């Protein structure tokens, strides 16, 4: 069965996203390598609109560093499934709008043949964490205190703790620490 994987940047004070983080080629390579293990990425509207059309435009124009362009190409090639009540049409040819509810969609996807399934937004990750449908978490903790921003369970608090087992850690040159966890079953 395919795994459901969530990878995201976090500040040292526990905020998630990319604002104020240490973004460099090594970080882009880390996430490029993670995306290569997947063939689908699930998004909510907010994060989707941050990523598309930005990264497909980078892939088309090769407008960033070699590593960032590579990330853009890998990202653009993934099938993106969008969960949104307000978006009814997308222009990206690799994006489909989910027709089934999130949990039903993920349950069906995990039974299909393919690479892992990546979660690309906090809202989707929070919902799937609540029902135990995420198999692995990749948190890249940055050596920065940002003071504000989104948190993983801002809009959907967990009803009970979710225990994780550490699989691997990596210290990146700019001081980020990549933590790779597996959900304890």
């Amino acid at each position: 069965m395919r795994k459901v994987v969530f990878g995201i940047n976090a500040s040292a004070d526990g905020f998630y996203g990319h604002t104020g983080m240490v973004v460099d080629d090594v970080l882009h390579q880390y996430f490029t390598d993670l995306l290569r293990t997947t063939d689908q990425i699930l998004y909510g509207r907010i994060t989707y609109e941050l990523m598309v059309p930005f990264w497909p435009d980078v892939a088309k124009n090769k407008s960033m560093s070699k590593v960032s362009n590579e990330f853009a190409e890998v990202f653009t090639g993934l099938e993106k499934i969008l969960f949104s009540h307000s978006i009814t049409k997308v222009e990206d040819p690799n994006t489909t709008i989910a027709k089934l509810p999130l949990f039903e969609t993920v349950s069906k996807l995990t039974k299909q043949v393919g690479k892992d399934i990546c979660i690309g937004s906090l809202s989707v990750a929070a919902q799937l964490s609540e029902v135990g449908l995420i198999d692995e978490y990749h948190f890249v903790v940055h050596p920065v205190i940002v003071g504000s921003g989104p948190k993983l369970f801002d809009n959907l608090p967990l009803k009970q703790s979710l225990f994780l087992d550490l699989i691997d850690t990596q210290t990146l040159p700019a001081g980020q620490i990549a933590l790779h966890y597996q959900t304890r079953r």
Side-chain angles (χ1 to χ4, degrees):
M1 221 161 73
R2 302 164 74 190
K3 293 183 293 190
V4 178
V5 190
F6 176 53
I8 193 157
N9 294 299
S11 64
D13 55 341
F15 294 99
Y16 291 80
H18 64 277
T19 304
M21 305 294 172
V22 181
V23 179
D24 59 14
D25 280 349
V26 175
L27 182 69
H28 276 129
Q29 188 63 59
Y30 177 85
F31 281 108
T32 300
D33 293 344
L34 178 61
L35 289 180
R36 279 198 170 105
T37 68
T38 70
D39 53 17
Q40 292 167 319
I41 188 164
L42 311 181
Y43 277 112
R45 179 192 57 81
I46 293 170
T47 308
Y48 178 81
E49 289 180 332
L50 290 172
M51 302 295 282
V52 176
F54 180 81
W55 287 108
D57 286 347
V58 170
K60 179 181 173 186
N61 300 323
K62 308 254 185 274
S63 57
M64 296 180 77
S65 71
K66 180 180 177 185
V67 173
S68 296
N69 290 340
E70 181 183 5
F71 172 86
E73 287 177 30
V74 171
F75 172 81
T76 300
L78 292 174
E79 177 188 3
K80 291 165 265 319
I81 302 173
L82 174 61
F83 294 87
S84 174
H85 298 292
S86 58
I87 296 177
T88 58
K89 184 181 178 195
V90 292
E91 292 184 24
D92 180 66
N94 289 336
T95 299
T96 57
I97 298 172
K99 293 177 181 26
L100 299 173
L102 177 62
F103 308 124
E104 191 175 337
T105 299
V106 172
S107 294
K108 284 186 175 201
L109 290 174
T110 58
K111 293 173 184 146
Q112 295 174 358
V113 175
K115 294 180 177 181
D116 293 340
I117 302 157
C118 192
I119 306 303
S121 57
L122 289 171
S123 62
V124 172
Q127 292 173 67
L128 294 177
S129 292
E130 179 62 37
V131 295
L133 286 178
I134 297 182
D135 300 297
E136 293 183 5
Y137 293 80
H138 295 258
F139 298 113
V140 179
V141 181
H142 291 250
V144 62
I145 295 173
V146 296
S148 66
K151 293 211 174 230
L152 181 53
F153 296 101
D154 266 349
N155 297 321
L156 181 68
L158 275 178
K159 292 181 180 116
Q160 63 184 30
S161 296
L162 179 65
F163 292 93
L164 307 173
D165 293 318
L166 184 65
I167 294 174
D168 188 33
T169 62
Q170 275 183 272
T171 301
L172 305 181
Q176 307 100 318
I177 300 173
L179 303 167
H180 179 188
Y181 292 100
Q182 177 178 310
T183 303
R184 186 176 296 164
R185 302 284 181 203

